[in-house]
Amino acid sequence: MQQASLFVLAEQPSVANHFMAELRDRTRQTDRMRFRRNIERLGEILAYELSKTLPYRPESVTTPLGTADISLLTQQPVLVSILRAGLPLHWGVLNYFDQADSGFIGAYRQNTTDGFTIQLDYQSMPSVQDRPLILIDPMLASGQTLVKVLKQISNFGIPSQIHILSVIAAPEGISLLEQEIQHLYRLWVGAIDNQLNDKSYIIPGLGDAGDLAFGNKL
Ligand code: URA
């Protein structure tokens, strides 16, 4: 069992709370463009916070008037998102790590008599060997999808660092990650909510992030 280091954006009062309030507000979240953009904005803020824990090297930049010393990333991270709900959050993180490689894995719930199982389908992945990995999923609910996706990613190498980034997390999902992930990892979330309901939706949460961003599926 790993005790992850945990960053929770909502623990500090900031303008990020306004983006989160709009995401959750049932009257405002119906504006799909604004919903996607608010997730993207939270992705940008979480990416900035996370960037403080990546390795840097000293560099210098030549300006028209001299030379400035500056610390730059030793290496770009690899961003991996779970389709489809992860796309707006992915875009926000990519706005800041703008030269990063991206990977995508499709996952969906398949209902069974006693609940559901997670099925993976589409994948398009770069190597993660010796590179910082940022695994992106807007809603960390039961945690089953993230655990399964992380196992799948292990076929593409061993990352130098593992970061998991979500907008809202449930305590049940955080516990499952602690039980199942054997490597050190850091968890970056916008907020931690109360619990899951019997359909594994986060309460109070915001609803279905994929549907709100892209429309209902059949
Ligand atoms: N996925 C969502 O979009 N919302 C939840 O509350 C849980 C999983």
Side-chain angles (χ1 to χ4, degrees):
M1 179 183 276
Q2 284 291 349
Q3 196 66 45
S5 85
L6 177 62
F7 175 88
V8 186
L9 190 56
E11 282 177 355
Q12 305 141 22
S14 79
V15 72
N17 288 353
H18 287 256
F19 309 153
M20 186 69 87
E22 287 190 4
L23 280 178
R24 292 184 188 271
D25 183 331
R26 60 191 295 179
T27 58
R28 305 212 69 180
Q29 61 176 200
T30 53
D31 177 348
R32 276 188 202 161
M33 188 171 75
R34 196 163 185 88
F35 183 83
R36 290 192 300 268
R37 180 64 190 125
N38 278 326
I39 293 208
E40 190 182 337
R41 293 202 278 189
L42 289 168
E44 288 168 353
I45 295 168
L46 288 168
Y48 172 71
E49 294 294 341
L50 183 164
S51 76
K52 298 173 189 171
T53 65
L54 295 173
Y56 288 80
R57 60 185 154 79
E59 276 289 343
S60 59
V61 179
T62 307
T63 78
L65 301 175
T67 304
D69 293 328
I70 194 156
S71 294
L72 296 179
L73 285 171
T74 309
Q75 198 180 21
Q76 287 286 328
V78 178
L79 317 184
V80 178
S81 278
I82 300 168
L83 298 175
R84 69 183 164 151
L87 287 175
L89 191 57
H90 191 104
W91 212 249
V93 179
L94 196 56
N95 286 344
Y96 276 32
F97 297 113
D98 53 28
Q99 304 302 313
D101 283 351
S102 289
F104 298 96
I105 296 184
Y108 61 96
R109 289 181 186 186
Q110 190 162 64
N111 292 328
T112 59
T113 43
D114 53 349
F116 64 87
T117 59
I118 304 296
Q119 302 296 321
L120 304 185
D121 49 15
Y122 176 80
Q123 68 179 25
S124 165
M125 279 291 303
S127 167
V128 297
Q129 184 65 38
D130 299 324
R131 305 166 81 185
L133 166 70
I134 305 179
L135 181 54
I136 296 165
D137 188 8
M139 305 298 279
L140 169 50
S142 71
Q144 289 182 47
T145 307
L146 273 176
V147 167
K148 191 146 189 182
V149 165
L150 204 50
K151 282 197 182 122
Q152 183 70 4
I153 292 174
S154 66
N155 296 323
F156 297 88
I158 302 170
S160 55
Q161 297 180 2
I162 298 176
H163 300 270
I164 296 173
L165 193 148
S166 291
V167 173
I168 301 180
E172 293 90 332
I174 295 175
S175 300
L176 191 79
L177 298 188
E178 283 174 1
Q179 283 163 33
E180 297 291 330
I181 300 180
Q182 306 305 327
H183 300 279
L184 264 185
Y185 64 97
R186 288 177 191 256
L187 186 54
W188 305 85
V189 300
I192 300 178
D193 276 8
N194 303 338
Q195 63 192 77
L196 296 181
N197 70 9
D198 58 359
K199 294 195 162 51
S200 290
Y201 276 86
I202 300 175
I203 306 296
L206 51 75
D208 190 303
D211 287 357
L212 287 161
F214 299 114
N216 295 346
K217 33 186 193 302
L218 283 178

